[in-house]
Amino acid sequence: MDKQQQDSGAPQSRRKALKGLIGLPFIGGIAAGAYAEIRKKQLEKSKILTELNIKAERPEVASDLSGDPIRIGIVGNGGRGQHLIRVLGFATPAWVEAMTAQGNTGVLEAYYGQENLNVRLTGVCDVFEVNAELAQAASPDCKRYRHYEELVNSPDIDAVVIATPDHWHAPVAIAALEAGKHVYVEKPMTHNINETYALREAARSAKAVFQVGHQHRQTQSFITAKDIIRKKVLGHVSLVQANTNRNSDNGAWQYPIHEKASPQTIDWDLFLGNAPRVPFNKEHFFRWRKWWAYGSGLSGDLMTHDYDRVNCILEMGMPRYVTASGGIYTHRDGRDVPDVFQAVMEYPDFSTGSSRATGLEKGMTFMYSATLGNQYWRETLLMGHDGTLELGNQLRVYADADSSRYAQLIESGVMDPSVPIYTYDPASGNADGVTSATSKYFAQKGLLWTYRDGKRVDSAMLHLREWLSAIRNDTPVSCGIDAGFEEAMSAHMAGLSWKLGRRMEWDPAAEQIIAQPGEDLNAVLLASGTNPMAWQG
């Protein structure tokens, strides 16, 4: 029996409907004659629930996936691409054998038990022979295309999933949209400023459905957090704190180099694309996130997760100012992106609402802090005048000791600022294990899985399902081109600030980052190396 069952004594149906657990201080133990005290706590709990009025249940929208299967082409079938085609229903026999040998029965049960999304995997384009062959091993219908333009223009492809290195996201997405194909593209949406505008124009002009792969928008706790903000439970949120702490080779993008990698098995020129011409380099290919030429650093690779996690809840949009700092302090291995990074985004005109005098509160700071040299866990916090929200796969709300809204409840002892006034665990008592520090990092942030009716579900599968439903039923997606534009441009502002060593400003009327006279911000963002003077020159 869980704590809610012990404290409330409510019928089972009511326990399921609430799901949010209330923490209250207890006075003394439960003994003979303590019924009055228990009843008092029940009434206090009910009073808090009534005051907060948070809706913990997600309204499920049934969407029809029947009809002819949607034919999917995957561009970029590396680690992320392989995961995406698995949640679409296509695992290789080798993967199944590996999971069986490792005893990962839970993973296999989740795979075999996931919903049939009614798709076919009919095409793959990957510059590495091994990755292309893996897609073909997962689906007998899968044809290999040597160039992405052949895939997106094929009559055998209806929709394209893009999981390439960052510098290929926008070129492939634009080509697919112009060919009339639906697009699901991984984050960050773009690699530079100019292509962000070009992709937005292509998406707005196309009749196809466009989705950015921020799968946390399906996470149950985040949906509940949106209701917390709507109900002004926190009051005016003035500061958001988000963090990345990782301390492993995998967490620092030191991925394994495949034994079959060679100039004969990798199309090096196609991999480089619009990146600077350099000789064949296995490390650049497998660890591309370590260089600006192909990746986006901490600002584009990991900060975008946290920015969009908060943006999907607060809808704060573009920051007016961004200031970034940091350096290469933990992995001096030839990379040119920072491994310690801080970014501060300013929203001087934003407000989540106020319980105080009109005009007294306005403005918010979003602060992101990251290190790849320490894995100490730090919560994501939304800090308001009336309360603080700990945001992740679970939620906890604490009343602020000096809250205006809860002053009487705190004074009367109904609320205790040291104990959560609201907690939410969508797992409903299910125990979950993770297999690595990096997986634990993503899981705690709500980026790996969520829950539906107490059952664990891969959030990427739900995000792809939403995209497929939109294709079939013309329903909305949760992370379309406008949200993608905000994510990409915010990340670009942070990258530019780190490179140029100054605060970057957004012009909301012109929808552009303000440059100094004669300055080419796009060139600065794309420049490689670690010498700031070279970027400015």
Side-chain angles (χ1 to χ4, degrees):
M1 182 178 291
D2 62 24
K3 185 174 186 299
Q4 182 189 16
Q5 291 171 321
Q6 291 175 326
D7 290 352
S8 69
Q12 182 69 21
S13 60
R14 174 156 178 80
R15 288 198 296 270
K16 288 183 177 180
L18 292 177
K19 286 191 177 179
L21 305 179
I22 304 301
L24 291 171
F26 283 83
I27 303 173
I30 298 178
Y35 174 79
E37 183 64 25
I38 296 172
R39 180 58 179 162
K40 176 185 176 184
K41 295 303 178 185
Q42 291 174 341
L43 292 173
E44 289 175 347
K45 179 179 292 186
S46 178
K47 187 173 184 179
I48 292 176
L49 280 173
T50 302
E51 170 67 25
L52 300 181
N53 192 29
I54 298 168
K55 303 300 181 184
E57 294 290 341
R58 176 199 172 120
E60 297 293 341
V61 179
S63 54
D64 186 6
L65 297 182
S66 63
D68 293 336
I70 293 175
R71 298 168 299 174
I72 302 288
I74 176 79
V75 181
N77 193 44
R80 183 60 180 169
Q82 290 166 36
H83 179 77
L84 293 178
I85 66 172
R86 276 198 299 273
V87 297
L88 285 169
F90 303 95
T92 65
W95 179 83
V96 173
E97 291 174 7
M99 292 300 103
T100 302
Q102 295 168 18
N104 289 328
T105 56
V107 173
L108 289 171
E109 288 173 2
Y111 172 70
Y112 287 118
Q114 69 187 19
E115 181 181 1
N116 182 350
L117 300 182
N118 192 18
V119 298
R120 291 171 57 203
L121 181 63
T122 55
V124 59
C125 177
D126 196 289
V127 298
F128 185 29
E129 298 279 349
V130 172
N131 289 345
E133 291 168 358
L134 286 171
Q136 291 182 294
S139 169
D141 298 328
C142 188
K143 174 184 176 181
R144 183 180 182 186
Y145 296 85
R146 295 285 173 176
H147 198 284
Y148 74 90
E149 290 185 347
E150 298 173 2
L151 183 147
V152 302
N153 286 292
S154 169
D156 299 322
I157 302 291
D158 301 313
V160 179
V161 174
I162 303 166
T164 62
D166 297 352
H167 71 305
W168 273 115
H169 285 182
V172 178
I174 291 170
L177 290 167
E178 290 178 345
K181 304 300 163 67
H182 307 286
V183 169
Y184 181 102
V185 62
E186 276 297 312
K187 60 79 203 164
M189 190 181 79
T190 63
H191 189 234
N192 65 60
I193 298 166
N194 291 350
E195 65 187 18
T196 309
Y197 294 107
L199 180 50
R200 184 173 69 168
E201 177 61 29
R204 287 179 172 178
S205 300
K207 295 181 180 179
V209 176
F210 179 86
Q211 174 95 301
V212 181
H214 281 299
Q215 68 275 5
H216 51 257
R217 287 180 175 250
Q218 309 301 322
T219 301
Q220 183 69 59
S221 58
F222 287 25
I223 297 166
T224 301
K226 293 176 72 171
D227 197 54
I228 290 173
I229 297 302
R230 278 193 297 266
K231 303 294 175 51
K232 299 180 174 54
V233 170
L234 307 181
H236 173 69
V237 175
S238 59
L239 180 63
V240 175
Q241 173 184 300
N243 317 282
T244 291
N245 282 65
R246 291 157 63 156
N247 194 19
S248 66
D249 284 346
N250 188 62
W253 310 315
Q254 284 287 104
Y255 303 133
I257 293 176
H258 200 283
E259 60 184 8
K260 293 185 178 180
S262 73
Q264 288 70 47
T265 59
I266 295 173
D267 187 335
W268 181 246
D269 286 339
L270 186 54
F271 165 76
L272 288 177
N274 55 24
R277 301 289 101 180
V278 296
F280 177 77
N281 189 313
K282 294 180 183 180
E283 187 174 23
H284 279 222
F285 182 77
F286 288 98
R287 300 168 179 172
W288 54 267
R289 285 179 169 87
K290 293 164 52 176
W291 289 276
W292 289 108
Y294 328 108
S296 308
L298 281 162
S299 53
D301 194 77
L302 295 176
M303 187 188 75
T304 50
H305 277 307
D306 284 294
Y307 167 85
D308 195 73
R309 288 166 74 230
V310 176
N311 195 32
C312 77
I313 295 168
L314 298 185
E315 299 180 357
M316 72 276 191
M318 284 298 301
R320 185 63 181 271
Y321 308 103
V322 178
T323 306
S325 64
I328 303 171
Y329 302 146
T330 70
H331 292 79
R332 299 192 174 190
D333 54 6
R335 69 183 64 204
D336 64 7
V337 301
D339 49 33
V340 174
F341 183 77
Q342 328 293 326
V344 176
M345 299 184 181
E346 305 290 347
Y347 297 83
D349 298 318
F350 179 76
S351 179
T352 54
S354 177
S355 61
R356 303 170 75 191
T358 302
L360 188 62
E361 298 176 310
K362 186 173 73 170
M364 183 188 76
T365 292
F366 172 91
M367 181 175 65
Y368 175 76
S369 170
T371 176
L372 300 184
N374 176 278
Q375 70 172 23
Y376 181 82
W377 177 253
R378 294 181 288 169
E379 298 286 352
T380 298
L381 302 175
L382 280 65
M383 292 173 264
H385 169 70
D386 294 312
T388 297
L389 169 65
E390 292 182 358
L391 175 67
N393 232 343
Q394 300 177 5
L395 303 176
R396 285 180 293 275
V397 177
Y398 291 84
D400 193 273
D402 292 317
S403 163
S404 297
R405 175 174 174 176
Y406 307 126
Q408 291 184 353
L409 291 171
I410 293 171
E411 184 178 356
S412 66
V414 173
M415 286 186 178
D416 180 349
S418 68
V419 177
I421 60 172
Y422 182 86
T423 69
Y424 177 64
D425 181 3
S428 298
N430 289 347
D432 297 300
V434 293
T435 57
S436 72
T438 303
S439 294
K440 183 177 181 181
Y441 163 83
F442 285 120
Q444 287 173 317
K445 284 179 175 284
L447 299 172
L448 285 183
W449 58 71
T450 185
Y451 296 85
R452 293 293 184 268
D453 299 323
K455 179 183 177 183
R456 195 176 90 174
V457 183
D458 190 296
S459 52
M461 186 278 286
L462 293 173
H463 206 47
L464 284 161
R465 190 193 194 284
E466 180 184 81
W467 174 60
L468 294 168
S469 175
I471 293 171
R472 292 185 181 277
N473 305 304
D474 197 29
T475 49
V477 294
S478 58
C479 198
I481 189 60
D482 292 331
F485 182 90
E486 292 169 350
E487 168 249 77
M489 282 300 197
S490 297
H492 296 334
M493 289 179 74
L496 286 168
S497 177
W498 184 78
K499 288 188 170 188
L500 294 173
R502 73 166 192 266
R503 184 174 76 166
M504 307 305 298
E505 182 177 356
W506 177 255
D507 182 338
E511 288 191 295
Q512 64 183 21
I513 305 169
I514 297 175
Q516 293 182 352
E519 192 172 48
D520 185 344
L521 294 181
N522 203 64
V524 171
L525 192 62
L526 289 171
S528 298
T530 57
N531 180 6
M533 296 306 295
W535 293 323
Q536 297 180 71

